[in-house]
């Protein structure tokens, strides 16, 4: 399914550019959007004699003076290699080698649903997820025809209900009944903690609500906003007009900006209803 | 280093290495803390010949009771006017006893004790003189500042003897004076007004051939100069004296570089520290030292050392000489106007610094970091040095150093940024040398400063050059920039956004097709 994926990317890009142009009050990066933030200037650095950069040299000198200096060959080398860190906001994983970093990034941050921030292992599963969970047209069509496709690549069969597909997977393809990438979407997002898919990765990264990867467990417990966001997203997905209800009164006390798109605005069929993540939520 | 060799000899005993190592670590920690408290001083203790060759590591402590007896005996002997071998033996025993700090404090409290020693110091028996100065030397090594104050009456004599001819004696006087200096402002004031600086200068000029003495002079000078600046003691008064010190030191260095290979290895590193402290002891900027040619002298020394090191003829302990030279050059460069830079500094210094970086990277990373700092100062405003860096083909080696932390990679990236900032076509050369793929790795590093610098460099490389932008995207760098848009650091977000909007936007469509292909694959 190349097209929706491409379309998804395209709209993502458009959304990116669009949001940077919008004068969203929360995002500080748009304040200087036309100014060049690069201010590198070559400079000669003068260091006073007591500067901490000179600490090691001074210590070596005094070790010599106090007759404690030995040839460096006897000591273990003190050189350190720079660590790598995942720069996705909210993910605080660090790595010793580039390979570890790449593996982390490719496994957890590549195929991420921008609506609910679930991370999926492959592009195909991501497509299926988006279709089934966030596509309003799909929901409509699914009532009339077989739309739920088998997760096994190459099988090609489609089913009317999720249960049918699950049975098919278990019986024909011998999948386990609790296959992690075939979760049923629950109407009430608070039940998310039972999602083992999220649990798989919580030990890798923590979330602050903006984590692209699923740290839904911790984020839901700490910060009710994302889940509310998602609830409203789901509701728009189901095309319920009640989605436009006002946000929870408790959240009104916090300064927050709504990224919900009103249901009467449509970016095109199958598009994502909403902006990518909660950029403005960061301090 | 003749002295260093002795130390190594002692520490190479197998049964003691682990204990020694632990002791070293403890001492190192103590030194670091002392430096943070701005109390970092060291005193040197010269062991007598028989002690140096003895197999016993520790000296037997004579109980205080018996040392008091000795003191009394000595003083009685003195007053009786008899000078004989017993007196010498007792003086020797006294000097051993004075190694104990509690004995030292007790000694100075005795009436006339110092007076007796000074009397012996100036007496007609030369052997007693030597032993008396040894006693004073032990006293000067005391950790208690009261003891150093008590030794002050001996200072004019010690200074006078500096122009004497007996080398062993002079050496002891020098180290004694050097030990006394840092303790107390009163001591320093006194010795300064007694003319310690001209005395040292004179000693240096006359004893230039004797390496042990030169090292001792260097030690004393550096102890003096180390504190002059921070306590601001009559700096202006001794300004001209300090300059004359510099000239003498320069004389010595001229002599040593003349006999290049031999003496370089034995270059009393302490002299180099003198240089460093000199550059800090003159108030204001270092233009005076610059006019005396300090920068060219230090940089040519570094070039010679770099050459030696590059040929794998590295001597043990050479880094102790390199440190102060690097610091001198680094700070002098900040006072040197760019127009005069090429006259004062040889472009071979660049190669020397890179050689030092590579050789000391693993064994002394702090030294490598300081070498990188000097490189930054050299290339900051000078087109000549930036282009020399490229023509001497030093950039690939620098790029290899980008993975290393402890501040080394940020300095090196700064150097590369200086080069990129100079001229457009330098950027093209840098790209050709593989800087883009290195940046793809540095953008992923944990250190924020490193990522900010990488984005700055990337901005300069891409500026107006679409091919470079495409090349960067082809190497998969776009994903990193997109990820950085959501980073919690504002500096990173702003830069990433700017790059995406203005520099990389034509490549965004390219990226889509690439990532589609890659995700399907």
């Amino acid at each position: 399914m190349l097209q929706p994926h491409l379309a998804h990317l395209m709209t993502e890009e458009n959304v990116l550019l669009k949001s940077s142009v919008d004068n969203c009050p929360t995002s500080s990066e748009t304040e200087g959007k036309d100014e060049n933030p690069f201010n590198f200037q070559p400079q000669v650095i003068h260091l006073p004699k007591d500067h901490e950069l000179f600490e090691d040299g001074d210590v070596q000198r005094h070790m010599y003076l106090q007759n404690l200096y030995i040839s460096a060959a006897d000591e273990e080398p003190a050189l350190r290699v720079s660590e790598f860190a995942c720069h996705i906001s909210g993910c605080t994983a660090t790595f010793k080698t580039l390979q570890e970093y790449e593996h982390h990034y490719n496994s957890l941050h590549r195929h991420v649903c921008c609506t609910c921030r679930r991370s999926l292992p492959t592009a195909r599963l991501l497509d299926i997820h988006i279709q089934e969970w966030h596509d309003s047209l799909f929901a409509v069509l699914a009532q009339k025809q077989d739309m739920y496709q088998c997760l096994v690549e190459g099988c090609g069969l489609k089913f009317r209900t999720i249960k049918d597909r699950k049975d098919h997977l278990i019986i024909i393809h011998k999948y386990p009944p609790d296959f992690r990438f075939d979760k049923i979407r629950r109407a009430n997002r608070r039940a998310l903690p039972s999602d083992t898919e999220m649990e798989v990765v919580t030990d890798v990264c923590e979330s602050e609500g903006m984590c692209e990867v699923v740290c839904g467990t911790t984020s839901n417990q700490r910060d009710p906003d994302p889940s509310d966001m998602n609830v409203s997203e789901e509701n728009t997905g189901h095309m319920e007009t009640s989605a436009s209800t006002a946000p929870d009164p408790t959240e009104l006390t916090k300064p927050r900006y709504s990224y919900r798109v009103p249901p009467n605005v449509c970016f095109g069929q199958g598009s994502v209803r909403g902006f990518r993540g909660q950029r403005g939520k960061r301090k | 280093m003749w002295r260093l060799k002795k130390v190594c000899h002692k520490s190479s005993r197998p049964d003691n290495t682990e204990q020694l190592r632990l002791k070293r670590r403890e001492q190192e920690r103590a030194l670091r803390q002392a430096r943070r408290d701005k109390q970092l001083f060291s005193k040197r203790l010269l062991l007598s010949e028989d002690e140096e060759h003895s197999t016993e590591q520790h000296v037997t402590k004579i109980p205080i009771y018996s040392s008091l007896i000795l003191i009394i005996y000595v003083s009685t002997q003195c007053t009786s006017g008899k000078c004989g071998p017993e007196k010498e033996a007792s003086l020797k025993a006294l000097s051993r006893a004075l190694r104990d700090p509690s004995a030292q404090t007790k000694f100075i409290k005795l009436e006339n004790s110092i007076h007796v020693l000074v009397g012996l110091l100036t007496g007609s028996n030369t052997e007693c003189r030597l032993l008396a100065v040894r006693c004073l030397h032990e006293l000067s090594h005391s950790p208690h500042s009261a003891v150093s104050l008590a030794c002050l009456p001996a200072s004019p004599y010690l200074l006078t003897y500096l122009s004497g001819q007996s080398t062993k004696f002079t050496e002891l006087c020098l180290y004694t004076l050097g030990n006394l200096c840092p303790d107390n402002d009163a001591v320093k004031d006194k010795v300064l007004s007694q003319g310690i600086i001209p005395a040292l200068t004179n000693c240096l000029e006359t004893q230039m051939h004797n390496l042990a003495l030169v090292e001792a002079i260097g030690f004393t000078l550096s102890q003096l100069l180390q504190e002059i600046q921070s306590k601001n003691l009559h700096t202006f008064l001794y300004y001209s004296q300090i300059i004359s010190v510099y000239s003498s030191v320069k004389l010595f260095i001229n002599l040593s570089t003349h006999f290049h290979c031999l003496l370089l290895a034995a270059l009393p590193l302490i002299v180099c520290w003198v240089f460093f402290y000199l550059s800090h002891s003159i108030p204001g900027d270092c233009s005076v030292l610059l006019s005396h040619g300090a920068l060219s002298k230090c940089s040519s020394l570094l070039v010679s050392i770099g050459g030696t090191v590059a040929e794998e003829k590295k001597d043990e302990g050479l880094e102790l000489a390199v440190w102060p030279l690097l610091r001198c050059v680094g700070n002098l460069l900040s006072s040197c106007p760019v127009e005069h830079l090429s006259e004062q500094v040889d472009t071979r210094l660049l190669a020397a610094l890179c050689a030092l970086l590579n050789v000391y990277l693993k064994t002394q990373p702090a030294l490598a970091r300081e070498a990188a700092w000097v490189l930054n100062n050299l290339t900051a405003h000078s087109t000549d040095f930036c282009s020399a860096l490229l023509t001497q083909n030093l950039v690939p080696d620098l790029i290899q150093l980008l993975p290393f932390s402890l501040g080394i990679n940020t300095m090196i990236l700064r150097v590369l940024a200086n080069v990129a900032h100079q001229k457009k076509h330098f950027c093209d050369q840098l790209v050709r040398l593989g800087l883009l793929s290195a940046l793809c790795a540095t953008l992923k590093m944990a250190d924020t400063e490193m990522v900010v610098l990488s984005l700055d460099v990337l901005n300069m490389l891409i500026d107006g050059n679409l091919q470079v932008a495409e090349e960067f995207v082809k190497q998969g760098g776009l994903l990193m920039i997109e990820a950085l848009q959501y980073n919690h650091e504002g500096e990173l977000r702003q830069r990433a956004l700017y790059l995406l909007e203005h520099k990389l936007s034509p490549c965004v469509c390219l990226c889509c097709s690439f990532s589609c292909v890659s995700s399907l694959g």
Side-chain angles (χ1 to χ4, degrees):
Chain A
M1 304 271 274
L2 181 58
Q3 292 309 320
H5 185 52
L6 194 55
H8 167 71
L9 271 174
M10 280 300 180
T11 46
E12 229 183 84
E13 295 304 327
N14 290 337
V15 163
L16 265 177
L17 293 172
K18 203 173 153 78
S19 65
S20 62
V21 166
D22 282 344
N23 234 332
C24 212
T26 50
S27 47
S28 52
E29 58 260 25
T30 58
E31 277 166 33
K33 64 177 165 59
D34 283 336
E35 287 167 22
N36 192 336
F38 293 101
N39 54 4
F40 174 78
Q41 286 298 328
Q43 48 179 304
V44 173
I45 303 172
H46 176 95
L47 296 173
K49 138 169 94 82
D50 292 324
H51 195 267
E52 59 172 2
L53 199 90
F54 290 160
E55 182 177 305
D56 281 337
D58 283 345
V59 167
Q60 295 293 327
R61 174 182 172 233
H62 283 269
M63 301 269 274
Y64 170 80
L65 287 178
Q66 295 182 12
N67 285 339
L68 290 164
Y69 188 81
I70 57 174
S71 159
D74 292 347
E75 283 284 301
E76 311 88 52
L79 186 62
R80 284 202 325 252
V81 174
S82 184
E83 277 195 332
F84 297 96
C86 185
H87 289 301
I88 301 289
S89 180
C91 185
T92 54
T94 55
F95 315 96
K96 291 263 158 32
T97 68
L98 200 53
Q99 283 76 23
E100 281 173 33
Y101 170 88
E102 311 250 289
H103 173 69
H104 163 89
Y105 186 84
N106 288 332
S107 311
L108 292 182
H109 299 297
R110 287 297 286 267
H111 307 288
V112 174
C113 173
C114 62
T115 322
C116 59
R117 296 186 323 285
R118 269 195 161 68
S119 171
L120 290 126
T122 66
R124 180 165 184 274
L125 285 173
L126 176 66
D127 288 339
I128 293 175
H129 162 86
I130 290 171
Q131 258 196 333
E132 296 178 7
W133 288 46
H134 306 298
D135 190 351
S136 43
L137 180 65
F138 179 91
V140 168
L141 290 173
Q143 291 160 13
K144 301 182 194 137
Q145 43 182 281
D146 295 346
M147 290 292 287
Y148 291 95
Q149 37 179 329
C150 173
L151 297 184
V152 175
E153 213 157 334
C155 179
L157 291 173
K158 295 197 183 183
F159 305 88
R160 181 57 66 93
T161 64
I162 297 177
K163 189 175 182 314
D164 288 343
R165 174 178 65 195
K166 185 161 172 155
D167 290 338
H168 167 82
L169 281 172
I170 295 172
I171 296 168
I172 307 292
H173 296 295
K174 314 261 194 303
Y175 267 40
D178 58 350
F179 184 59
R180 290 163 178 209
F181 302 119
D182 180 25
K183 289 295 172 186
I184 298 168
R185 184 176 57 175
R186 286 173 175 62
N188 180 13
R189 272 306 180 111
R190 305 260 179 218
L192 276 174
S194 64
D195 243 6
T196 48
E197 172 191 300
M198 296 202 175
E199 280 155 26
V200 166
V201 291
T202 39
D203 56 336
V204 172
C205 62
E206 302 152 42
S207 154
E208 271 180 359
M210 187 39 221
C211 185
E212 298 261 5
V213 185
V214 291
C215 300
T217 43
T218 41
S219 77
N220 278 338
Q221 280 146 21
R222 263 192 262 144
D223 179 9
D225 289 345
S227 57
D228 272 289
M229 256 287 292
N230 295 319
V231 168
S232 53
E233 284 300 333
E234 269 184 68
N235 291 339
T236 47
H238 280 304
M239 305 240 264
E240 284 169 28
T241 48
S242 58
S244 46
T245 47
D248 208 309
T250 51
E251 274 115 42
L252 278 176
T253 52
K254 286 195 232 166
R256 75 184 279 259
Y257 305 88
S258 172
Y259 282 92
R260 283 186 302 114
V261 179
N264 51 352
V265 174
C266 177
F267 291 127
Q269 288 186 343
S271 75
V272 170
R273 278 195 170 278
F275 297 102
R276 183 174 169 170
Q278 301 166 40
R279 262 199 296 273
K281 279 276 173 161
R282 273 186 310 284
K283 285 111 214 106
Chain B
M1 316 277 163
W2 66 275
R3 207 171 280 284
L4 191 62
K5 285 197 187 72
K6 293 199 174 169
V7 173
C8 284
H9 170 71
K10 272 199 182 143
S11 63
S12 62
R13 288 154 42 120
D15 49 333
N16 255 354
T17 36
E18 194 47 50
Q19 269 181 335
L20 209 64
R21 199 169 286 188
L22 281 169
K23 185 181 170 213
R24 269 195 87 237
R25 293 242 177 87
E26 247 176 64
Q27 289 284 62
E28 198 178 317
R29 232 172 297 151
L31 283 170
R32 279 186 204 274
Q33 188 52 47
R35 188 179 187 272
R36 274 172 221 147
D37 298 333
K38 310 235 191 252
Q39 293 293 323
L40 186 60
F41 310 114
S42 285
K43 300 193 178 201
R44 296 207 78 178
L45 186 66
L46 266 189
L47 298 169
S48 60
E49 266 105 16
D50 43 344
E51 281 177 312
E52 282 175 343
H53 294 302
S54 74
T55 47
E56 272 204 32
Q57 282 281 35
H58 65 278
V59 176
T60 41
K61 280 190 181 176
I62 302 173
I64 298 178
Y65 174 68
S66 41
S67 64
L68 284 177
I69 298 289
L70 284 169
I71 292 161
I72 297 166
Y73 180 83
V74 165
S75 56
T76 51
Q77 291 285 5
C78 214
T79 48
S80 69
K82 210 172 30 165
C83 296
E86 301 94 7
K87 197 187 236 169
E88 288 167 25
S90 50
L91 272 173
K92 210 178 233 174
L94 181 63
S95 67
R96 289 256 173 86
L98 282 174
R99 197 157 292 175
D100 174 35
S102 48
Q104 291 163 352
T105 42
K106 282 227 153 39
F107 181 78
I108 57 167
K109 289 199 184 109
L110 289 174
E111 202 183 316
N112 273 346
S113 49
I114 297 286
H115 186 75
V116 166
L117 276 184
V118 172
L120 288 166
L121 187 66
T122 51
S124 43
N125 186 333
T126 50
E127 195 53 40
C128 282
R129 273 196 206 176
L130 195 56
L131 290 166
V133 87
R134 176 146 275 287
C135 292
L136 279 168
H137 181 66
E138 300 285 349
L139 279 173
S140 71
H141 196 251
S142 164
H144 305 292
S145 59
V147 179
S148 332
L149 257 177
C151 294
L152 259 188
S155 63
Y157 302 104
L158 293 171
L159 283 172
T160 316
Y161 286 134
L162 286 185
S163 26
Q165 292 303 316
S166 159
T167 51
K168 190 68 198 169
F169 192 70
T170 315
E171 199 185 351
L172 276 168
C173 292
L174 283 166
Y175 278 112
T176 310
L177 282 166
N179 285 344
L180 288 175
C181 285
D183 271 340
N184 219 301
D185 284 354
V187 173
K188 235 198 299 277
D189 263 342
K190 194 126 192 245
V191 295
L192 277 173
S193 43
Q194 282 168 354
I196 187 171
I197 299 184
L200 288 170
T201 319
N202 187 43
C203 191
L204 180 62
E205 281 172 21
T206 48
Q207 302 284 3
M208 219 173 271
H209 52 277
N210 187 324
L211 292 177
L213 277 185
V214 174
E215 186 168 350
I217 296 169
F219 171 73
T220 313
L221 268 174
S222 56
Q223 294 282 79
L224 207 53
L225 292 171
Q226 181 177 354
E227 278 305 292
I228 273 189
Q229 196 254 337
S230 62
K231 303 257 172 78
N232 215 18
L233 285 167
H234 314 296
T235 328
F236 287 100
L237 283 176
Y238 302 107
Y239 191 85
S240 54
Q241 292 179 3
I242 292 174
I243 296 295
S244 65
V245 168
Y246 166 72
S247 315
S248 318
V249 171
K250 199 167 84 149
L251 254 176
F252 169 76
I253 293 184
N254 283 339
L255 188 68
S256 58
T257 47
H258 190 61
F259 295 101
H260 178 81
C261 8
L262 287 169
L263 286 178
L264 201 59
L267 191 70
L269 46 101
I270 298 199
V271 170
C272 302
W273 286 99
V274 172
F275 252 25
F276 172 57
Y277 289 126
L278 270 176
S279 63
H280 280 278
S281 56
I282 299 183
D285 67 350
C286 311
S287 48
V288 177
L289 275 179
L290 278 173
S291 61
H292 277 74
L295 184 57
S296 53
K297 185 91 287 173
C298 290
S299 56
S300 58
L301 260 178
L302 272 176
V303 168
S304 330
I305 295 181
T308 323
V309 149
E311 288 163 34
E312 318 258 327
K313 283 195 237 139
K314 185 180 81 157
D315 277 302
E316 265 179 40
L318 194 60
E319 58 265 23
L320 289 165
V322 174
W323 251 306
L325 288 172
L326 280 176
R327 293 177 188 189
C328 276
V329 175
N331 279 329
L332 285 171
L333 279 172
S334 61
S335 314
C336 182
V338 183
E339 311 83 59
H340 302 310
L341 194 59
S342 324
E343 302 159 4
Q344 303 240 13
V345 183
D346 196 342
T347 47
R348 285 180 300 163
L349 183 60
L350 290 168
L353 287 169
C354 290
L356 286 169
L357 256 171
N358 283 314
V359 168
Y360 286 111
L361 184 65
K362 298 219 160 63
T363 49
Q364 296 282 4
L367 195 140
R369 184 176 55 204
E370 292 190 26
W373 163 58
V374 178
L375 262 177
N376 169 66
N377 282 3
L378 266 179
T379 53
H381 299 301
S382 162
T383 318
D384 294 334
F385 278 93
C386 287
S387 68
L389 203 65
L390 286 164
T391 51
Q392 290 178 22
N393 203 21
L394 297 167
V395 174
D397 284 335
L398 289 178
I399 294 183
Q400 296 296 326
L401 294 170
L402 285 174
F404 299 105
S405 66
L406 296 175
I408 295 174
N409 52 5
T410 40
M411 248 340 143
I412 304 250
L413 197 51
R414 237 178 227 290
V415 173
L416 294 171
N418 290 346
V419 177
H421 193 267
Q422 280 290 331
K423 276 193 185 160
K424 262 313 301 155
H425 79 87
F426 288 165
C427 290
D428 300 333
Q429 291 190 49
L430 284 173
V431 171
R432 244 177 284 141
L433 291 167
L435 188 54
L436 274 181
S437 50
L439 284 178
C440 287
T442 57
L443 279 171
K444 296 169 183 156
M445 286 181 178
D447 183 5
T448 313
E449 198 192 334
M450 200 58 193
V451 182
V452 169
L453 273 171
S454 312
L455 287 170
D456 284 337
V457 175
L458 188 63
N459 179 49
M460 284 189 272
L461 293 178
I462 291 184
D463 200 18
N465 191 337
L466 197 60
Q467 281 174 323
V468 175
E470 286 173 5
E471 181 60 40
F472 179 68
V473 170
K474 239 187 259 171
Q475 292 187 14
L478 194 63
L479 287 168
M480 257 337 287
I481 309 284
E482 287 179 353
L484 282 169
Q485 284 182 88
Y486 307 109
N487 194 280
H488 52 273
E489 294 281 344
E491 289 182 295
L492 294 176
R493 286 203 303 274
Q494 286 170 10
R495 286 169 165 80
L497 251 185
Y498 185 88
L499 276 176
L500 279 170
E501 285 173 37
H502 295 94
K503 303 283 170 74
L504 295 170
S505 46
C507 305
V508 155
C509 303
L510 272 170
C511 160
C512 287
S513 48
F514 277 130
S515 61
C516 273
V517 169
S518 61
S519 60
L520 283 177

